[in-house]
Amino acid sequence: MKIIHAKDYNDLSRKAANIISAQVILKPESVLGLATGSSPLGIYRQLIIWYEKGDLDFSATTAVNLDEYCNLPPDNPQSYHAFMRQNFFDHININPARVHIPNGMASDLETECRRYDQLIQSLGGIDLQLLGIGRNAHIGFNEPDSCFSKYTHKVALSESTIAANTRFFDREEDVPRQAISMGMQAITQARKILLIASGPDKADALYACCFGPVTPQVPASILQLHQDVTIIADEESLSSVPPMFLFLPPSEGAVVCVNAGTDQKVTEGMR
């Protein structure tokens, strides 16, 4: 697990966009696992700039998104379908047939979840998975639980997640209470994982993700068991990271290498 210190959100976004652009340049047919929310917006803006300059070509790239709200039509401005179109897909040359987002309007959500897992498997898995981290350390919409959810599944959103997402809606009661989320199997089988964190409200979650026990109560902690994880975080979100793990002063763009997970045990199984 490698933690890269970013000066601020703009620096974080550029560093993360660099990693994604390198993936697309080196393997144009990459399968990218993409995230929504406020955290990746700067990344998408930077990738669009490089695409418009002619530096990137997404025509052979496939995108699979982490999640979608239940019972929110794709044309609803707050749906993740609309979010991805408005903030990324409509501004690059990705083939719409290569864009995949869970269908939260499916009449049979269990069947939709199985379809999504089979889709990812048919694509050969994910080459690079972009993740944010919630205040309660959720990734995707994998909320704290008694065990890790292995497959794509319908999830009841926690109160903290609902509260965090209220800013995107007119009223808290408008925030959907359920969503479809990619499960831990597809996430952890990604060949590379890129997690981003920004702001003081992510500091405790980031510390628990990197340095706490591997437990489904801290969903992001499962990343300790992955062989290729890069975390890019700003100074505020790194405030809880022990100074002993910073090899260089933050002003020099410190890189922290954490060999976490070697002696950790998963406290509960994956269902």
Side-chain angles (χ1 to χ4, degrees):
M1 182 177 284
K2 179 170 67 175
I3 305 175
I4 300 175
H5 175 280
K7 293 180 294 185
D8 51 31
Y9 178 73
N10 289 334
D11 187 39
L12 178 158
S13 298
R14 189 177 181 87
K15 283 180 165 63
N18 262 318
I19 292 175
I20 296 173
S21 64
Q23 175 68 41
V24 173
I25 290 169
L26 292 172
K27 185 180 179 183
E29 69 279 13
S30 291
V31 177
L32 300 180
L34 298 179
T36 51
S38 57
S39 294
L41 284 174
I43 299 172
Y44 296 147
R45 284 194 292 266
Q46 185 61 65
L47 291 172
I48 290 167
I49 290 171
W50 288 335
Y51 164 73
E52 292 175 341
K53 289 174 60 180
D55 295 334
L56 290 174
D57 178 7
F58 293 95
S59 61
T61 302
T62 297
V64 291
N65 263 68
L66 281 167
D67 41 35
E68 177 59 287
Y69 290 118
C70 292
N71 301 315
L72 210 59
D75 59 354
N76 186 297
Q78 303 308 327
S79 74
Y80 288 157
H81 281 76
F83 176 97
M84 293 303 301
R85 290 195 303 269
Q86 294 164 6
N87 293 293
F88 194 38
F89 295 148
D90 284 354
H91 307 281
I92 60 173
N93 66 332
I94 193 168
N95 184 341
R98 294 181 180 272
V99 170
H100 306 284
I101 303 175
N103 179 13
M105 294 295 293
S107 58
D108 186 338
L109 291 178
E110 291 300 321
T111 298
E112 170 61 14
C113 290
R114 300 290 77 77
R115 180 198 70 82
Y116 206 64
D117 284 330
Q118 291 166 5
L119 167 69
I120 295 171
Q121 185 177 15
S122 73
L123 294 171
I126 296 167
D127 290 302
L128 174 61
Q129 177 65 59
L130 174 65
L131 297 172
I133 185 170
R135 296 172 186 171
N136 62 0
H138 72 249
I139 50 177
F141 273 137
N142 290 282
E143 298 279 16
D145 204 345
S146 59
C147 58
F148 293 107
S149 293
K150 185 176 182 180
Y151 302 113
T152 298
H153 58 289
K154 182 176 73 172
V155 58
L157 302 183
S158 69
E159 290 303 316
S160 64
T161 298
I162 292 169
N165 289 349
T166 297
R167 67 189 187 279
F168 301 117
F169 293 82
D170 292 333
R171 304 170 301 168
E172 181 176 313
E173 50 264 40
D174 294 333
V175 183
R177 267 46 183 177
Q178 294 182 320
I180 294 178
S181 178
M182 188 187 297
M184 290 300 195
Q185 177 172 270
I187 292 173
T188 57
Q189 287 183 347
R191 295 168 185 85
K192 299 179 182 178
I193 292 176
L194 173 61
L195 184 142
I196 55 173
S198 177
D201 59 335
K202 302 296 179 69
D204 290 344
L206 186 59
Y207 177 86
C209 165
C210 298
F211 300 99
V214 178
T215 168
Q217 291 298 317
V218 181
S221 66
I222 199 172
L223 300 181
Q224 293 179 29
L225 306 179
H226 195 280
Q227 64 180 1
D228 192 347
V229 176
T230 299
I231 296 174
I232 304 179
D234 64 11
E235 190 166 344
E236 290 181 324
S237 62
L238 285 172
S239 61
S240 295
V241 174
M244 70 179 70
F245 290 101
L246 295 177
F247 297 153
L248 295 171
S251 61
E252 297 182 34
V255 176
V256 185
C257 293
V258 182
N259 188 19
T262 303
D263 298 319
Q264 301 284 1
K265 293 183 178 178
V266 180
T267 59
E268 298 287 347
M270 184 182 288
R271 65 180 175 210

